[in-house]
Amino acid sequence: KNKKMVKKLAQGYHAFLASDSVIKQIPRLLGPGLNKAGKFPTPISKTVQEEVNNIKASIKFQLKKVLCLAVAIGNVGMTEAEIKTNISYA
């Protein structure tokens, strides 16, 4: 539960994965450090490679006082099909 080591661990990696059996023990072993850093491990529900690809394709936003987020989905040089694809991904 060394806070400095947990903080250094959280800063050294972008994300963490853990199996269901291990994920229950993490708060007891590491304390709240990973949770405070916003990097609490994601449970593995598919194969590890699929989870890694899923995490690589996602981004986290931390909204402070606003409850909405505006995202650009295209530009004037894009076709209608490309814009529809971007909307479905958003």
Side-chain angles (χ1 to χ4, degrees), residues 15-81:
F16 295 93
L17 295 172
S19 65
D20 288 333
S21 58
V22 175
I23 212 163
K24 295 172 187 171
Q25 299 172 353
I26 289 173
R28 186 169 37 100
L29 297 172
L30 298 176
L34 288 179
N35 209 10
K36 284 182 182 176
K39 295 184 179 180
F40 193 79
T42 304
I44 300 173
S45 58
K46 308 170 199 162
T47 65
V48 175
Q49 188 60 44
E50 286 176 331
E51 287 292 342
V52 169
N53 290 338
N54 190 18
I55 289 174
K56 282 183 178 179
S58 64
I59 47 176
K60 285 186 177 180
F61 291 102
Q62 187 172 3
L63 302 175
K64 297 281 183 181
K65 295 182 180 180
V66 293
L67 298 176
C68 60
L69 177 69
V71 179
I73 55 164
N75 60 37
V76 293
M78 297 176 80
T79 65
E80 189 174 330

